[in-house]
Amino acid sequence: IHDLAIENPAGFSNETFASVGEYDVKVKLVPQLQKRLVIDRLVMHGLDVVFEKNTAGENNWSDVAASAESESVKSKYGLEGLVIGGIDIKDSRISWLDRNSGKQFRVSRMSLGTQAIAEAEALPVEIKAYVESNQPEWQAAVKATAKLDFAEGRQVFNADGLKLVVKALLPDQNMESFSFAMLADSEINVKTHTAKLNNARFSALGQVASGTFEVEDIFSVPVIQGPMKVKKFELAKLAKYLKFDLPQMADTQALKKISLTASLKTDFKTIQLTDIAAQIDDSRVTGFINIVTSPESNIRYDLKADKLNLDTYRIVENKSGDETLLPLEFVRTTDLEGVLAVASITADGSELTNVRITSSINNGMVEA
């Protein structure tokens, strides 16, 4: 079948809900005599689906979802078995559009391939696509592989062994590009647009973290939250990913042993770290940090430390000869406010106890 189109209900901007350039399905005849449906391969090229919510809050997929939740093909036609040799989807696009908020999310250049589909067996799937969002603005190349299990129903499925690789462009951010990789066993609910990532391990900005996370709005701007653990890292290496260099310090081993556990919540525009328990060299730190990255940098924090040796972090003469030791671009562009309470601070051989430092940066003015 060529150029197949499904019309939208009235009240939506597009005439069509979905269209397919080419739909090809080959069915074996003999198994049908045994009430078994055996499909060699199901092919769809040029699939284009637009999910839309109009200004009245109505969506255009309710009728389709209701139909999908009715009798299955197997029970409706009294089939004893259903086997599909594989699915091949190429050059396809799926879009989500909310007319009230103006949010748009598009998956294009999508290809999806599977091996043979048999009942009660996990289905290996590979997906490649280009993803775009307008609020916030970003684009990304995505590749994912997983074994899908639909045993729990049509709306909820497991994606075990999910491997996701993302290479993103962030035009409105200080960091113009971003790479992300993740391994997890996942449970995805298509109806509620939510997911759960179990035993997840992910890497970004040169750091490796692990945890179990809940994900909301997986088809628009995902919100990820849950407890995580970050493997020991060096701050200088992280700084290079963020495109700034740390000044040379008196102790060459300073800020090379950092690790933490925390509760994370992020929508890639805001990062919230609460219940922080961190080890920074010989100091233990607890508290919270809230970072907003767009449209302007905004940082709020409230931290407590057991001890701090300032002699370790004393800045020494720069080899470059640059006498500027303050990160001026950071000072000019960041709105910062926070409190650091330290039980014991050592500086030049002297000790101060029960120290509370309130700091702020606003409009290029640094106060402490």
Side-chain angles (χ1 to χ4, degrees):
I1 302 175
H2 294 272
D3 301 325
L4 172 68
I6 301 174
E7 288 187 350
N8 246 336
F12 295 93
S13 58
N14 294 324
E15 291 186 6
T16 59
F17 166 69
S19 61
V20 181
E22 176 188 350
Y23 178 78
D24 183 12
V25 58
K26 296 179 176 67
V27 182
K28 293 186 177 181
L29 294 178
V30 175
Q32 293 184 67
L33 301 177
Q34 301 154 344
K35 294 188 175 182
R36 295 174 59 246
L37 183 60
V38 178
I39 298 172
D40 276 352
R41 195 159 189 84
L42 190 151
V43 176
M44 283 189 288
H45 290 178
L47 174 67
D48 189 350
V49 183
V50 180
F51 295 98
E52 181 181 348
K53 183 179 288 187
N54 62 22
T55 52
E58 302 168 329
N59 66 64
N60 66 341
W61 64 83
S62 295
D63 291 346
V64 177
S67 176
E69 289 176 351
S70 63
E71 281 188 287
S72 68
V73 172
K74 184 178 174 182
S75 61
K76 185 174 182 179
Y77 296 102
L79 296 176
E80 299 294 334
L82 173 63
V83 177
I84 301 176
I87 296 176
D88 180 18
I89 298 176
K90 291 183 179 177
D91 191 25
S92 298
R93 182 172 66 180
I94 300 176
S95 305
W96 285 263
L97 174 61
D98 188 332
R99 289 291 176 186
N100 281 317
S101 65
K103 287 184 178 180
Q104 297 184 49
F105 182 80
R106 177 182 296 174
V107 180
S108 59
R109 305 182 214 169
M110 184 179 73
S111 64
L112 182 151
T114 75
Q115 298 180 14
I117 302 172
E119 292 182 280
E121 292 184 12
L123 174 64
V125 174
E126 180 177 357
I127 301 174
K128 294 180 181 179
Y130 188 76
V131 184
E132 300 170 88
S133 171
N134 71 334
Q135 296 183 22
E137 185 180 355
W138 56 269
Q139 303 91 38
V142 177
K143 180 179 179 181
T145 57
K147 291 185 177 180
L148 303 185
D149 183 358
F150 295 88
E152 297 187 27
R154 298 181 183 86
Q155 300 293 334
V156 180
F157 61 90
N158 294 325
D160 292 333
L162 173 64
K163 182 178 181 181
L164 176 67
V165 178
V166 178
K167 295 182 178 179
L169 298 176
L170 312 170
D172 289 339
Q173 311 292 326
N174 293 331
M175 184 173 53
E176 296 177 355
S177 61
F178 179 77
S179 295
F180 174 85
M182 181 185 71
L183 291 171
D185 291 329
S186 307
E187 180 183 287
I188 300 173
N189 190 317
V190 177
K191 189 173 184 179
T192 61
H193 297 183
T194 60
K196 185 173 183 180
L197 306 177
N198 297 308
N199 303 316
R201 288 176 55 84
F202 56 90
S203 63
L205 303 175
Q207 313 309 311
V208 178
S210 59
T212 296
F213 304 94
E214 304 282 347
V215 187
E216 300 176 355
D217 297 326
I218 58 176
F219 298 131
S220 55
V221 181
V223 178
I224 303 173
Q225 57 184 332
M228 74 167 186
K229 181 178 181 180
V230 180
K231 191 176 179 181
K232 186 182 295 184
F233 66 94
E234 299 180 18
L235 186 59
K237 292 183 178 180
L238 174 60
K240 285 186 177 181
Y241 278 96
L242 298 175
K243 295 188 176 181
F244 70 88
D245 293 323
L246 292 180
Q248 184 179 346
M249 300 179 187
D251 187 342
T252 58
Q253 297 303 308
L255 302 177
K256 288 191 174 183
K257 296 182 294 182
I258 303 175
S259 60
L260 70 87
T261 60
S263 292
L264 167 71
K265 183 175 183 180
T266 180
D267 59 1
F268 302 100
K269 181 179 178 181
T270 301
I271 301 172
Q272 296 178 7
L273 293 175
T274 57
D275 300 323
I276 293 174
Q279 184 75 36
I280 303 176
D281 296 330
D282 296 326
S283 304
R284 293 182 182 275
V285 180
T286 59
F288 80 86
I289 300 175
N290 187 84
I291 302 172
V292 178
T293 59
S294 176
E296 297 178 352
S297 297
N298 182 295
I299 301 174
R300 297 292 182 266
Y301 66 90
D302 190 339
L303 301 171
K304 295 180 180 179
D306 60 347
K307 58 184 176 180
L308 179 62
N309 188 342
L310 293 182
D311 294 336
T312 299
Y313 307 108
R314 179 171 50 84
I315 297 174
V316 299
E317 182 180 0
N318 286 358
K319 293 181 179 180
S320 64
D322 184 1
E323 295 182 357
T324 301
L325 301 180
L326 283 174
L328 293 183
E329 187 60 28
F330 176 81
V331 171
R332 292 185 181 114
T333 60
T334 300
D335 178 1
L336 178 147
E337 187 174 321
V339 176
L340 172 63
V342 187
S344 172
I345 292 182
T346 301
D348 258 349
S350 299
E351 183 183 16
L352 298 174
T353 59
N354 299 323
V355 179
R356 178 182 174 87
I357 304 171
T358 301
S359 304
S360 68
I361 301 176
N362 187 263
N363 294 325
M365 179 68 71
V366 181
E367 297 185 15

mmCIF file with all atom_site columns, all heavy atoms in Angstrom, residues 47-68:
data_model
loop_
_atom_site.group_PDB
_atom_site.id
_atom_site.type_symbol
_atom_site.label_atom_id
_atom_site.label_alt_id
_atom_site.label_comp_id
_atom_site.label_asym_id
_atom_site.label_entity_id
_atom_site.label_seq_id
_atom_site.pdbx_PDB_ins_code
_atom_site.Cartn_x
_atom_site.Cartn_y
_atom_site.Cartn_z
_atom_site.occupancy
_atom_site.B_iso_or_equiv
_atom_site.pdbx_formal_charge
_atom_site.auth_seq_id
_atom_site.auth_comp_id
_atom_site.auth_asym_id
_atom_site.auth_atom_id
_atom_site.pdbx_PDB_model_num
ATOM 1   N N   . LEU A 1 47 ? 6.882   6.857  7.394  1.00 0.00 ? 47 LEU A N   1
ATOM 2   C CA  . LEU A 1 47 ? 5.835   7.026  8.407  1.00 0.00 ? 47 LEU A CA  1
ATOM 3   C C   . LEU A 1 47 ? 5.918   8.434  8.999  1.00 0.00 ? 47 LEU A C   1
ATOM 4   O O   . LEU A 1 47 ? 6.990   8.908  9.345  1.00 0.00 ? 47 LEU A O   1
ATOM 5   C CB  . LEU A 1 47 ? 6.012   5.984  9.512  1.00 0.00 ? 47 LEU A CB  1
ATOM 6   C CG  . LEU A 1 47 ? 5.097   6.097  10.736 1.00 0.00 ? 47 LEU A CG  1
ATOM 7   C CD1 . LEU A 1 47 ? 3.656   5.817  10.345 1.00 0.00 ? 47 LEU A CD1 1
ATOM 8   C CD2 . LEU A 1 47 ? 5.553   5.152  11.838 1.00 0.00 ? 47 LEU A CD2 1
ATOM 9   N N   . ASP A 1 48 ? 4.772   9.110  9.114  1.00 0.00 ? 48 ASP A N   1
ATOM 10  C CA  . ASP A 1 48 ? 4.729   10.466 9.686  1.00 0.00 ? 48 ASP A CA  1
ATOM 11  C C   . ASP A 1 48 ? 3.505   10.553 10.594 1.00 0.00 ? 48 ASP A C   1
ATOM 12  O O   . ASP A 1 48 ? 2.367   10.522 10.120 1.00 0.00 ? 48 ASP A O   1
ATOM 13  C CB  . ASP A 1 48 ? 4.638   11.504 8.564  1.00 0.00 ? 48 ASP A CB  1
ATOM 14  C CG  . ASP A 1 48 ? 4.806   12.927 9.080  1.00 0.00 ? 48 ASP A CG  1
ATOM 15  O OD1 . ASP A 1 48 ? 4.797   13.118 10.315 1.00 0.00 ? 48 ASP A OD1 1
ATOM 16  O OD2 . ASP A 1 48 ? 4.941   13.848 8.254  1.00 0.00 ? 48 ASP A OD2 1
ATOM 17  N N   . VAL A 1 49 ? 3.744   10.656 11.911 1.00 0.00 ? 49 VAL A N   1
ATOM 18  C CA  . VAL A 1 49 ? 2.665   10.716 12.897 1.00 0.00 ? 49 VAL A CA  1
ATOM 19  C C   . VAL A 1 49 ? 2.793   12.022 13.675 1.00 0.00 ? 49 VAL A C   1
ATOM 20  O O   . VAL A 1 49 ? 3.887   12.374 14.131 1.00 0.00 ? 49 VAL A O   1
ATOM 21  C CB  . VAL A 1 49 ? 2.712   9.529  13.870 1.00 0.00 ? 49 VAL A CB  1
ATOM 22  C CG1 . VAL A 1 49 ? 1.535   9.583  14.841 1.00 0.00 ? 49 VAL A CG1 1
ATOM 23  C CG2 . VAL A 1 49 ? 2.713   8.207  13.113 1.00 0.00 ? 49 VAL A CG2 1
ATOM 24  N N   . VAL A 1 50 ? 1.672   12.745 13.837 1.00 0.00 ? 50 VAL A N   1
ATOM 25  C CA  . VAL A 1 50 ? 1.671   13.999 14.594 1.00 0.00 ? 50 VAL A CA  1
ATOM 26  C C   . VAL A 1 50 ? 0.696   13.878 15.756 1.00 0.00 ? 50 VAL A C   1
ATOM 27  O O   . VAL A 1 50 ? -0.520  13.828 15.562 1.00 0.00 ? 50 VAL A O   1
ATOM 28  C CB  . VAL A 1 50 ? 1.283   15.200 13.710 1.00 0.00 ? 50 VAL A CB  1
ATOM 29  C CG1 . VAL A 1 50 ? 1.285   16.485 14.538 1.00 0.00 ? 50 VAL A CG1 1
ATOM 30  C CG2 . VAL A 1 50 ? 2.233   15.325 12.528 1.00 0.00 ? 50 VAL A CG2 1
ATOM 31  N N   . PHE A 1 51 ? 1.235   13.809 16.976 1.00 0.00 ? 51 PHE A N   1
ATOM 32  C CA  . PHE A 1 51 ? 0.406   13.836 18.177 1.00 0.00 ? 51 PHE A CA  1
ATOM 33  C C   . PHE A 1 51 ? 0.206   15.296 18.568 1.00 0.00 ? 51 PHE A C   1
ATOM 34  O O   . PHE A 1 51 ? 1.178   16.037 18.711 1.00 0.00 ? 51 PHE A O   1
ATOM 35  C CB  . PHE A 1 51 ? 1.087   13.079 19.324 1.00 0.00 ? 51 PHE A CB  1
ATOM 36  C CG  . PHE A 1 51 ? 1.249   11.609 19.063 1.00 0.00 ? 51 PHE A CG  1
ATOM 37  C CD1 . PHE A 1 51 ? 2.446   11.099 18.589 1.00 0.00 ? 51 PHE A CD1 1
ATOM 38  C CD2 . PHE A 1 51 ? 0.200   10.731 19.289 1.00 0.00 ? 51 PHE A CD2 1
ATOM 39  C CE1 . PHE A 1 51 ? 2.603   9.743  18.346 1.00 0.00 ? 51 PHE A CE1 1
ATOM 40  C CE2 . PHE A 1 51 ? 0.344   9.374  19.053 1.00 0.00 ? 51 PHE A CE2 1
ATOM 41  C CZ  . PHE A 1 51 ? 1.550   8.876  18.584 1.00 0.00 ? 51 PHE A CZ  1
ATOM 42  N N   . GLU A 1 52 ? -1.048  15.700 18.746 1.00 0.00 ? 52 GLU A N   1
ATOM 43  C CA  . GLU A 1 52 ? -1.329  17.119 18.993 1.00 0.00 ? 52 GLU A CA  1
ATOM 44  C C   . GLU A 1 52 ? -2.342  17.283 20.125 1.00 0.00 ? 52 GLU A C   1
ATOM 45  O O   . GLU A 1 52 ? -3.315  16.520 20.227 1.00 0.00 ? 52 GLU A O   1
ATOM 46  C CB  . GLU A 1 52 ? -1.872  17.776 17.723 1.00 0.00 ? 52 GLU A CB  1
ATOM 47  C CG  . GLU A 1 52 ? -2.165  19.260 17.883 1.00 0.00 ? 52 GLU A CG  1
ATOM 48  C CD  . GLU A 1 52 ? -2.716  19.882 16.602 1.00 0.00 ? 52 GLU A CD  1
ATOM 49  O OE1 . GLU A 1 52 ? -2.654  19.219 15.546 1.00 0.00 ? 52 GLU A OE1 1
ATOM 50  O OE2 . GLU A 1 52 ? -3.212  21.015 16.668 1.00 0.00 ? 52 GLU A OE2 1
ATOM 51  N N   . LYS A 1 53 ? -2.102  18.290 20.963 1.00 0.00 ? 53 LYS A N   1
ATOM 52  C CA  . LYS A 1 53 ? -3.074  18.715 21.961 1.00 0.00 ? 53 LYS A CA  1
ATOM 53  C C   . LYS A 1 53 ? -3.490  20.139 21.591 1.00 0.00 ? 53 LYS A C   1
ATOM 54  O O   . LYS A 1 53 ? -2.644  21.036 21.499 1.00 0.00 ? 53 LYS A O   1
ATOM 55  C CB  . LYS A 1 53 ? -2.473  18.678 23.365 1.00 0.00 ? 53 LYS A CB  1
ATOM 56  C CG  . LYS A 1 53 ? -3.468  19.033 24.467 1.00 0.00 ? 53 LYS A CG  1
ATOM 57  C CD  . LYS A 1 53 ? -2.827  18.945 25.842 1.00 0.00 ? 53 LYS A CD  1
ATOM 58  C CE  . LYS A 1 53 ? -2.589  17.508 26.248 1.00 0.00 ? 53 LYS A CE  1
ATOM 59  N NZ  . LYS A 1 53 ? -2.108  17.397 27.657 1.00 0.00 ? 53 LYS A NZ  1
ATOM 60  N N   . ASN A 1 54 ? -4.798  20.338 21.350 1.00 0.00 ? 54 ASN A N   1
ATOM 61  C CA  . ASN A 1 54 ? -5.249  21.646 20.887 1.00 0.00 ? 54 ASN A CA  1
ATOM 62  C C   . ASN A 1 54 ? -5.467  22.625 22.041 1.00 0.00 ? 54 ASN A C   1
ATOM 63  O O   . ASN A 1 54 ? -5.247  22.286 23.209 1.00 0.00 ? 54 ASN A O   1
ATOM 64  C CB  . ASN A 1 54 ? -6.516  21.523 20.014 1.00 0.00 ? 54 ASN A CB  1
ATOM 65  C CG  . ASN A 1 54 ? -7.693  20.933 20.783 1.00 0.00 ? 54 ASN A CG  1
ATOM 66  O OD1 . ASN A 1 54 ? -7.743  20.983 22.010 1.00 0.00 ? 54 ASN A OD1 1
ATOM 67  N ND2 . ASN A 1 54 ? -8.649  20.381 20.044 1.00 0.00 ? 54 ASN A ND2 1
ATOM 68  N N   . THR A 1 55 ? -5.907  23.842 21.714 1.00 0.00 ? 55 THR A N   1
ATOM 69  C CA  . THR A 1 55 ? -6.053  24.881 22.743 1.00 0.00 ? 55 THR A CA  1
ATOM 70  C C   . THR A 1 55 ? -7.160  24.555 23.739 1.00 0.00 ? 55 THR A C   1
ATOM 71  O O   . THR A 1 55 ? -7.205  25.117 24.832 1.00 0.00 ? 55 THR A O   1
ATOM 72  C CB  . THR A 1 55 ? -6.361  26.244 22.083 1.00 0.00 ? 55 THR A CB  1
ATOM 73  O OG1 . THR A 1 55 ? -7.483  26.098 21.193 1.00 0.00 ? 55 THR A OG1 1
ATOM 74  C CG2 . THR A 1 55 ? -5.157  26.734 21.278 1.00 0.00 ? 55 THR A CG2 1
ATOM 75  N N   . ALA A 1 56 ? -8.059  23.643 23.384 1.00 0.00 ? 56 ALA A N   1
ATOM 76  C CA  . ALA A 1 56 ? -9.124  23.225 24.301 1.00 0.00 ? 56 ALA A CA  1
ATOM 77  C C   . ALA A 1 56 ? -8.668  22.098 25.228 1.00 0.00 ? 56 ALA A C   1
ATOM 78  O O   . ALA A 1 56 ? -9.445  21.626 26.067 1.00 0.00 ? 56 ALA A O   1
ATOM 79  C CB  . ALA A 1 56 ? -10.351 22.781 23.512 1.00 0.00 ? 56 ALA A CB  1
ATOM 80  N N   . GLY A 1 57 ? -7.429  21.663 25.061 1.00 0.00 ? 57 GLY A N   1
ATOM 81  C CA  . GLY A 1 57 ? -6.903  20.592 25.905 1.00 0.00 ? 57 GLY A CA  1
ATOM 82  C C   . GLY A 1 57 ? -7.238  19.203 25.401 1.00 0.00 ? 57 GLY A C   1
ATOM 83  O O   . GLY A 1 57 ? -6.938  18.209 26.070 1.00 0.00 ? 57 GLY A O   1
ATOM 84  N N   . GLU A 1 58 ? -7.845  19.107 24.202 1.00 0.00 ? 58 GLU A N   1
ATOM 85  C CA  . GLU A 1 58 ? -8.188  17.803 23.622 1.00 0.00 ? 58 GLU A CA  1
ATOM 86  C C   . GLU A 1 58 ? -6.991  17.269 22.841 1.00 0.00 ? 58 GLU A C   1
ATOM 87  O O   . GLU A 1 58 ? -6.210  18.030 22.269 1.00 0.00 ? 58 GLU A O   1
ATOM 88  C CB  . GLU A 1 58 ? -9.389  17.946 22.685 1.00 0.00 ? 58 GLU A CB  1
ATOM 89  C CG  . GLU A 1 58 ? -10.632 18.515 23.366 1.00 0.00 ? 58 GLU A CG  1
ATOM 90  C CD  . GLU A 1 58 ? -11.698 18.901 22.361 1.00 0.00 ? 58 GLU A CD  1
ATOM 91  O OE1 . GLU A 1 58 ? -11.328 19.295 21.228 1.00 0.00 ? 58 GLU A OE1 1
ATOM 92  O OE2 . GLU A 1 58 ? -12.881 18.829 22.717 1.00 0.00 ? 58 GLU A OE2 1
ATOM 93  N N   . ASN A 1 59 ? -6.860  15.938 22.807 1.00 0.00 ? 59 ASN A N   1
ATOM 94  C CA  . ASN A 1 59 ? -5.782  15.338 22.024 1.00 0.00 ? 59 ASN A CA  1
ATOM 95  C C   . ASN A 1 59 ? -6.354  14.522 20.875 1.00 0.00 ? 59 ASN A C   1
ATOM 96  O O   . ASN A 1 59 ? -7.526  14.159 20.872 1.00 0.00 ? 59 ASN A O   1
ATOM 97  C CB  . ASN A 1 59 ? -4.876  14.481 22.908 1.00 0.00 ? 59 ASN A CB  1
ATOM 98  C CG  . ASN A 1 59 ? -5.583  13.269 23.476 1.00 0.00 ? 59 ASN A CG  1
ATOM 99  O OD1 . ASN A 1 59 ? -6.006  12.388 22.733 1.00 0.00 ? 59 ASN A OD1 1
ATOM 100 N ND2 . ASN A 1 59 ? -5.705  13.204 24.798 1.00 0.00 ? 59 ASN A ND2 1
ATOM 101 N N   . ASN A 1 60 ? -5.508  14.249 19.892 1.00 0.00 ? 60 ASN A N   1
ATOM 102 C CA  . ASN A 1 60 ? -5.959  13.568 18.674 1.00 0.00 ? 60 ASN A CA  1
ATOM 103 C C   . ASN A 1 60 ? -5.640  12.077 18.656 1.00 0.00 ? 60 ASN A C   1
ATOM 104 O O   . ASN A 1 60 ? -5.794  11.426 17.618 1.00 0.00 ? 60 ASN A O   1
ATOM 105 C CB  . ASN A 1 60 ? -5.347  14.234 17.435 1.00 0.00 ? 60 ASN A CB  1
ATOM 106 C CG  . ASN A 1 60 ? -3.833  14.076 17.375 1.00 0.00 ? 60 ASN A CG  1
ATOM 107 O OD1 . ASN A 1 60 ? -3.191  13.790 18.388 1.00 0.00 ? 60 ASN A OD1 1
ATOM 108 N ND2 . ASN A 1 60 ? -3.261  14.278 16.208 1.00 0.00 ? 60 ASN A ND2 1
ATOM 109 N N   . TRP A 1 61 ? -5.172  11.545 19.790 1.00 0.00 ? 61 TRP A N   1
ATOM 110 C CA  . TRP A 1 61 ? -4.818  10.120 19.808 1.00 0.00 ? 61 TRP A CA  1
ATOM 111 C C   . TRP A 1 61 ? -5.744  9.272  20.684 1.00 0.00 ? 61 TRP A C   1
ATOM 112 O O   . TRP A 1 61 ? -5.565  8.062  20.772 1.00 0.00 ? 61 TRP A O   1
ATOM 113 C CB  . TRP A 1 61 ? -3.372  9.937  20.243 1.00 0.00 ? 61 TRP A CB  1
ATOM 114 C CG  . TRP A 1 61 ? -3.081  10.375 21.650 1.00 0.00 ? 61 TRP A CG  1
ATOM 115 C CD1 . TRP A 1 61 ? -3.279  9.681  22.796 1.00 0.00 ? 61 TRP A CD1 1
ATOM 116 C CD2 . TRP A 1 61 ? -2.519  11.628 22.050 1.00 0.00 ? 61 TRP A CD2 1
ATOM 117 N NE1 . TRP A 1 61 ? -2.883  10.401 23.893 1.00 0.00 ? 61 TRP A NE1 1
ATOM 118 C CE2 . TRP A 1 61 ? -2.405  11.603 23.465 1.00 0.00 ? 61 TRP A CE2 1
ATOM 119 C CE3 . TRP A 1 61 ? -2.091  12.762 21.364 1.00 0.00 ? 61 TRP A CE3 1
ATOM 120 C CZ2 . TRP A 1 61 ? -1.892  12.689 24.190 1.00 0.00 ? 61 TRP A CZ2 1
ATOM 121 C CZ3 . TRP A 1 61 ? -1.578  13.827 22.094 1.00 0.00 ? 61 TRP A CZ3 1
ATOM 122 C CH2 . TRP A 1 61 ? -1.492  13.783 23.475 1.00 0.00 ? 61 TRP A CH2 1
ATOM 123 N N   . SER A 1 62 ? -6.725  9.865  21.345 1.00 0.00 ? 62 SER A N   1
ATOM 124 C CA  . SER A 1 62 ? -7.588  9.107  22.256 1.00 0.00 ? 62 SER A CA  1
ATOM 125 C C   . SER A 1 62 ? -8.327  7.984  21.536 1.00 0.00 ? 62 SER A C   1
ATOM 126 O O   . SER A 1 62 ? -8.418  6.861  22.031 1.00 0.00 ? 62 SER A O   1
ATOM 127 C CB  . SER A 1 62 ? -8.597  10.035 22.931 1.00 0.00 ? 62 SER A CB  1
ATOM 128 O OG  . SER A 1 62 ? -7.941  10.967 23.755 1.00 0.00 ? 62 SER A OG  1
ATOM 129 N N   . ASP A 1 63 ? -8.881  8.287  20.333 1.00 0.00 ? 63 ASP A N   1
ATOM 130 C CA  . ASP A 1 63 ? -9.625  7.265  19.599 1.00 0.00 ? 63 ASP A CA  1
ATOM 131 C C   . ASP A 1 63 ? -8.726  6.105  19.204 1.00 0.00 ? 63 ASP A C   1
ATOM 132 O O   . ASP A 1 63 ? -9.122  4.936  19.263 1.00 0.00 ? 63 ASP A O   1
ATOM 133 C CB  . ASP A 1 63 ? -10.259 7.870  18.345 1.00 0.00 ? 63 ASP A CB  1
ATOM 134 C CG  . ASP A 1 63 ? -11.384 8.844  18.692 1.00 0.00 ? 63 ASP A CG  1
ATOM 135 O OD1 . ASP A 1 63 ? -11.831 8.828  19.855 1.00 0.00 ? 63 ASP A OD1 1
ATOM 136 O OD2 . ASP A 1 63 ? -11.784 9.623  17.809 1.00 0.00 ? 63 ASP A OD2 1
ATOM 137 N N   . VAL A 1 64 ? -7.497  6.427  18.801 1.00 0.00 ? 64 VAL A N   1
ATOM 138 C CA  . VAL A 1 64 ? -6.556  5.375  18.403 1.00 0.00 ? 64 VAL A CA  1
ATOM 139 C C   . VAL A 1 64 ? -6.188  4.521  19.611 1.00 0.00 ? 64 VAL A C   1
ATOM 140 O O   . VAL A 1 64 ? -6.129  3.292  19.541 1.00 0.00 ? 64 VAL A O   1
ATOM 141 C CB  . VAL A 1 64 ? -5.288  5.989  17.770 1.00 0.00 ? 64 VAL A CB  1
ATOM 142 C CG1 . VAL A 1 64 ? -4.283  4.910  17.423 1.00 0.00 ? 64 VAL A CG1 1
ATOM 143 C CG2 . VAL A 1 64 ? -5.667  6.782  16.537 1.00 0.00 ? 64 VAL A CG2 1
ATOM 144 N N   . ALA A 1 65 ? -5.942  5.173  20.751 1.00 0.00 ? 65 ALA A N   1
ATOM 145 C CA  . ALA A 1 65 ? -5.579  4.444  21.969 1.00 0.00 ? 65 ALA A CA  1
ATOM 146 C C   . ALA A 1 65 ? -6.725  3.553  22.422 1.00 0.00 ? 65 ALA A C   1
ATOM 147 O O   . ALA A 1 65 ? -6.522  2.412  22.842 1.00 0.00 ? 65 ALA A O   1
ATOM 148 C CB  . ALA A 1 65 ? -5.206  5.432  23.068 1.00 0.00 ? 65 ALA A CB  1
ATOM 149 N N   . ALA A 1 66 ? -7.961  4.072  22.325 1.00 0.00 ? 66 ALA A N   1
ATOM 150 C CA  . ALA A 1 66 ? -9.119  3.272  22.729 1.00 0.00 ? 66 ALA A CA  1
ATOM 151 C C   . ALA A 1 66 ? -9.264  2.048  21.845 1.00 0.00 ? 66 ALA A C   1
ATOM 152 O O   . ALA A 1 66 ? -9.593  0.950  22.309 1.00 0.00 ? 66 ALA A O   1
ATOM 153 C CB  . ALA A 1 66 ? -10.377 4.124  22.668 1.00 0.00 ? 66 ALA A CB  1
ATOM 154 N N   . SER A 1 67 ? -9.003  2.216  20.561 1.00 0.00 ? 67 SER A N   1
ATOM 155 C CA  . SER A 1 67 ? -9.077  1.091  19.636 1.00 0.00 ? 67 SER A CA  1
ATOM 156 C C   . SER A 1 67 ? -8.012  0.050  19.958 1.00 0.00 ? 67 SER A C   1
ATOM 157 O O   . SER A 1 67 ? -8.258  -1.144 19.907 1.00 0.00 ? 67 SER A O   1
ATOM 158 C CB  . SER A 1 67 ? -8.909  1.590  18.196 1.00 0.00 ? 67 SER A CB  1
ATOM 159 O OG  . SER A 1 67 ? -8.882  0.513  17.291 1.00 0.00 ? 67 SER A OG  1
ATOM 160 N N   . ALA A 1 68 ? -6.821  0.521  20.308 1.00 0.00 ? 68 ALA A N   1
ATOM 161 C CA  . ALA A 1 68 ? -5.723  -0.389 20.627 1.00 0.00 ? 68 ALA A CA  1
ATOM 162 C C   . ALA A 1 68 ? -5.992  -1.177 21.898 1.00 0.00 ? 68 ALA A C   1
ATOM 163 O O   . ALA A 1 68 ? -5.513  -2.296 22.070 1.00 0.00 ? 68 ALA A O   1
ATOM 164 C CB  . ALA A 1 68 ? -4.414  0.400  20.763 1.00 0.00 ? 68 ALA A CB  1
#
